[in-house]
Amino acid sequence: MHPACPPRRPSPAAWPRLAGWWCWLLLCCAAVTLALPAQAQTMWLDRAQLVTEAPGQPPDWAGARSVALPHAWDSGQPDSRSAVRLYRLALPTPAFTSNPLFGLYVEQACSVLQVRLNGQLIHDGGRFEEPVTRNCHRPQLMAVPAALLRAHGNVLELRIRGYALAEVSSRQRVGGLSAVEFGPYDVMAAHHARRLVFAIRLPEVMSGALLLMGSFMFVMGWFHREQSYLAYFGALMVGWALLLARLWAADLPVDNQVTELALASLMAFITLAAVQFLMRYAGRRPQGLRIALPAQCLLMPLTLVVAGPGRLYTVSGVWFVLLAAQVLAAAVFYLAEARRQHSRQLWPMATLLGVVGLALLVEFTAQALRLDSRIGYVAQLVPALGFLLLGLRLVQQYGRAFQSAEQSRAELEVRIREATAQIERNFAQLSELKVEQVTDRERKRIAADLHDDLGAKLLTIVHTSDSERISTLAREALEEMRLSVRGLTGKPVKLIDALGDWRAEVVSRLNQSGVQGEWSAPSDEEVPQTLSSRAYVQTTRILREAVSNIIKHSGASQCSVRCMLADGDFQLVIQDNGKGIPTELDGRLDKGHGMASMKGRAKQLQGQCLVESSPGYGTVIRLTLPLERHTTMG
């Protein structure tokens, strides 16, 4: 099997092409879907008689005026107030009367529609009193039973409650009626379903996705202030989700004036989020914007309230131009900064900003020139799709940065632990060194005191005492004191020098006691090692104890001492021809003649001291000392 290849990630230069292809694919699919031709004959009704309904009075059709459909209430109206208007259309008898059910399709009726055919109510779109049902963006389909159709003189009456241009903040929601399409119901239903997807269903899905992702990104940016641009982009997505809700939210609990004021003011909040996101994403935090943009969000609704409902469209238009200029300036500033910093995000962001700006321009143009509503359907979805793509990109970048930060934090923790352990080791070593220094200094002081005070007094006793016994004891004490002083000074001793000292002392003591002594040791060339002062002192005391036992207890006439080096160990064998250890010790050789002290000293040096003896056959003492623990190479 071949190993799986890791997925290739697109390079930064590929992001503009990918985003462009996605948007182009969306536009093509939308255009093809919305432009599918009808599969059967349909009729378009594009002329109507128009009258304004007077409360409590029948409509004056004698004074009606003829209008072309689509028709908007933005010009040529006798008043600028909200009203209920009636459209009367002549419906020719269809040639294909064999169909049992027909459909009447209305692309746009703003804000609420009621339909009668030949005086019979066939459709009621919602409330005509405040708060009025808002179906400006919802295509509507009515079933028309063939039984309601006359052979001649069918009359359609469309009753609409809407608002004049001055009372809304956008042309999208001005009162009016589109052309009416009539045909077989199954054809009209398929046509209506396609339009409804792009006009209502996709905006609903986009609103939910923007709200969910925007809330998530806002929380991420809020709790990680170093990535505050995430919070502002999340706020932008939430604001845009609320703006998209105007397309599908029909029954709001507030009247038109409050709704239009809220929608207009929402643009100030979206501008704040967009400008702050672009500035923070560029690495800039102008202090003035932190005060000016929130103040603008308060000032805009205040001016709209002061201007009154009759001038809402005019004042909102001025504000929209000002807000668009702010966002455009922030976008230009970001792109300039990204180019100056050679940022990898330059082309992806430039592509996104260009696509979103173009879509908004197309939507505005479609409103102003009253173009086909299908163009607006597609244009209003492109910014939401762009925000979702950028949101996914930002979340991906944040995830990578968070993963990298976690990895760096883990590495830093490991380094901190290692540094802490090293510091602790160094501190322990310094503490030990200081203790050793103090101990060594104290040992040297004690050794100096012993040598200068006690040594001098013992030496005086040796030379001035008339008693041979006292003089001997003083001499022995003086030797022991010198040995202790040598151990306290801590100076290492060459092993060859130690052997010389031990030989002189052992042979001298044995000869003085009438015991013939023999000494064998390696030559000078065979003994290059040095012995620690501690090992020298303990070995000297073991040797002295052994010789003392021979002189005092063995009754021996001969004693041999052999020194050897074998397998890294120093071996000392002391053998006499005396009477051996008394039988009353019953095999407990370490209980008498200082054997316990000799074995204890050997154990302190990680060595061992073995005693072999039997009555009448003398005694053998074997001392083994590992040199690698107590010597250094000379």
Side-chain angles (χ1 to χ4, degrees):
M1 295 178 62
H2 296 286
C5 297
R8 296 182 60 187
R9 295 175 179 171
S11 63
W15 279 100
R17 295 194 302 273
L18 291 176
W21 277 112
W22 275 107
C23 293
W24 180 251
L25 180 62
L26 175 64
L27 293 174
C28 291
C29 292
V32 171
T33 302
L34 295 177
L36 286 175
Q39 297 180 359
Q41 183 180 2
T42 61
M43 291 188 294
W44 284 91
L45 309 179
D46 56 3
R47 299 296 302 181
Q49 298 294 312
L50 172 65
V51 296
T52 301
E53 182 181 86
Q57 299 179 9
D60 182 14
W61 290 110
R65 59 192 181 93
S66 178
V67 295
L69 301 181
H71 176 255
W73 302 0
D74 56 355
S75 63
Q77 300 302 317
D79 58 60
S80 60
R81 296 171 296 173
S82 64
V84 176
R85 294 189 172 95
L86 297 175
Y87 291 86
R88 174 175 285 183
L89 296 82
L91 179 62
T93 301
F96 36 91
T97 54
S98 59
N99 290 326
L101 188 65
F102 293 93
L104 194 67
Y105 175 76
V106 178
E107 181 78 18
Q108 184 178 26
C110 192
S111 289
V112 58
L113 172 67
Q114 191 178 80
V115 181
R116 294 178 182 272
L117 174 61
N118 298 326
Q120 297 292 323
L121 181 66
I122 63 173
H123 177 74
D124 190 356
R127 294 191 305 269
F128 273 71
E129 302 297 329
E130 292 288 0
V132 175
T133 301
R134 305 173 67 87
N135 285 325
C136 290
H137 305 280
R138 182 182 296 269
Q140 300 181 60
L141 176 65
M142 290 133 273
V144 181
L148 294 180
L149 295 173
R150 301 172 183 171
H152 302 284
N154 293 295
V155 177
L156 278 174
E157 289 186 3
L158 284 75
R159 183 170 179 254
I160 295 177
R161 167 71 185 272
Y163 300 92
L165 182 62
E167 296 177 297
V168 295
S169 60
S170 171
R171 288 182 180 271
Q172 285 184 328
R173 294 179 295 280
V174 70
L177 177 66
S178 66
V180 178
E181 189 175 2
F182 180 76
Y185 185 80
D186 53 350
V187 175
M188 295 293 99
H191 186 50
H192 174 261
R194 290 195 299 270
R195 300 290 182 90
L196 193 65
V197 167
F198 283 87
I200 302 298
R201 300 293 176 244
L202 282 180
E204 286 180 339
V205 173
M206 289 291 187
S207 295
L210 287 173
L211 184 62
L212 182 62
M213 180 174 286
S215 302
F216 173 68
M217 295 185 67
F218 181 83
V219 172
M220 284 198 310
W222 180 266
F223 286 102
H224 299 84
R225 296 301 179 91
E226 62 275 8
Q227 283 89 25
S228 59
Y229 63 88
L230 292 176
Y232 284 108
F233 190 75
L236 172 61
M237 297 178 75
V238 171
W240 203 265
L242 297 177
L243 188 64
L244 276 182
R246 80 192 189 280
L247 303 178
W248 52 266
D251 294 307
L252 300 177
V254 294
D255 60 19
N256 176 75
Q257 182 178 356
V258 176
T259 301
E260 290 296 331
L261 182 64
L263 287 174
S265 302
L266 182 61
M267 297 305 298
F269 172 77
I270 292 176
T271 300
L272 179 149
V275 171
Q276 286 285 38
F277 162 69
L278 291 171
M279 300 302 291
R280 298 295 177 93
Y281 202 44
R284 302 292 183 178
R285 297 185 177 220
Q287 295 297 320
L289 294 182
R290 299 181 62 180
I291 301 175
L293 292 177
Q296 179 176 260
C297 292
L298 299 176
L299 181 61
M300 182 177 178
L302 180 61
T303 57
L304 295 177
V305 171
V306 171
R311 290 188 292 271
L312 180 61
Y313 179 78
T314 302
V315 178
S316 297
V318 174
W319 271 108
F320 291 161
V321 172
L322 179 61
L323 298 177
Q326 295 175 17
V327 175
L328 179 61
V332 172
F333 177 83
Y334 169 79
L335 295 177
E337 283 293 304
R339 182 176 181 181
R340 185 181 63 84
Q341 298 173 7
H342 303 287
S343 173
R344 299 176 60 185
Q345 306 304 321
L346 173 61
W347 289 112
M349 283 294 294
T351 303
L352 175 67
L353 292 174
V355 170
V356 171
L358 180 60
L360 294 176
L361 181 61
V362 169
E363 185 178 4
F364 176 78
T365 304
Q367 295 176 24
L369 301 181
R370 301 176 188 172
L371 301 178
D372 193 328
S373 59
R374 290 172 290 186
I375 299 176
Y377 290 164
V378 176
Q380 67 193 9
L381 296 177
V382 172
L385 179 61
F387 292 151
L388 288 174
L389 291 176
L390 180 58
L392 292 174
R393 174 69 173 169
L394 293 176
V395 170
Q396 181 188 39
Q397 289 179 346
Y398 176 81
R400 291 177 181 174
F402 182 78
Q403 182 179 9
S404 178
E406 284 296 310
Q407 184 177 359
S408 299
R409 185 179 64 83
E411 294 177 355
L412 181 60
E413 288 180 353
V414 171
R415 293 180 181 179
I416 290 176
R417 286 197 298 268
E418 293 176 351
T420 302
Q422 184 63 36
I423 291 174
E424 290 177 352
R425 287 194 297 269
N426 292 340
F427 181 78
Q429 292 175 357
L430 290 175
S431 299
E432 293 176 359
L433 180 61
K434 188 172 183 62
V435 170
E436 291 179 359
Q437 290 176 346
V438 173
T439 303
D440 184 65
R441 190 162 53 247
E442 190 64 18
R443 282 201 304 262
K444 290 180 179 180
R445 185 188 65 80
I446 295 173
D449 292 344
L450 289 175
H451 183 273
D452 295 341
D453 298 336
L454 183 59
K457 293 177 181 179
L458 290 175
L459 187 59
T460 300
I461 294 173
V462 169
H463 291 293
T464 60
S465 176
D466 296 332
S467 172
E468 183 64 24
R469 177 175 176 77
I470 293 175
S471 179
T472 301
L473 291 174
R475 186 177 291 105
E476 291 177 357
L478 182 60
E479 290 298 326
E480 187 64 29
M481 183 211 67
R482 287 175 176 171
L483 183 61
S484 299
V485 168
R486 191 165 199 175
L488 288 173
T489 57
K491 294 180 180 181
V493 180
K494 290 183 179 181
L495 183 56
I496 190 64
D497 294 339
L499 292 175
D501 294 342
W502 294 336
R503 181 189 181 201
E505 180 178 346
V506 168
V507 172
S508 175
R509 291 186 62 191
L510 290 175
N511 290 337
Q512 289 178 2
S513 302
V515 179
Q516 182 180 356
E518 296 180 3
W519 180 274
S520 63
S523 62
D524 295 355
E525 293 79 9
E526 298 174 355
V527 188
Q529 295 89 347
T530 59
L531 201 62
S532 68
S533 60
R534 183 167 175 266
Y536 171 76
V537 170
Q538 298 294 358
T539 305
T540 301
R541 286 175 174 164
I542 292 172
L543 187 58
R544 284 181 179 176
E545 183 68 28
V547 173
S548 296
N549 287 337
I550 292 172
I551 294 173
K552 295 178 180 179
H553 305 293
S554 69
S557 60
Q558 290 182 351
C559 175
S560 64
V561 180
R562 300 191 302 276
C563 301
M564 296 168 289
L565 295 175
D567 300 328
D569 293 338
F570 171 68
Q571 296 180 359
L572 186 64
V573 180
I574 306 169
Q575 183 175 3
D576 65 69
N577 61 350
K579 59 185 180 182
I581 304 298
T583 56
E584 59 266 18
L585 290 178
D586 195 17
R588 293 174 288 133
L589 299 179
D590 57 343
K591 299 297 184 180
H593 303 296
M595 298 301 177
S597 64
M598 286 192 293
K599 291 185 176 183
R601 296 180 192 280
K603 188 175 182 180
Q604 292 178 11
L605 301 176
Q606 282 74 45
Q608 62 178 356
C609 182
L610 301 178
V611 180
E612 302 172 4
S613 179
S614 60
Y617 292 96
T619 301
V620 179
I621 300 175
R622 301 179 185 276
L623 173 65
T624 302
L625 177 67
L627 285 178
E628 62 272 12
R629 295 179 180 269
H630 304 286
T631 64
T632 57
M633 296 303 295

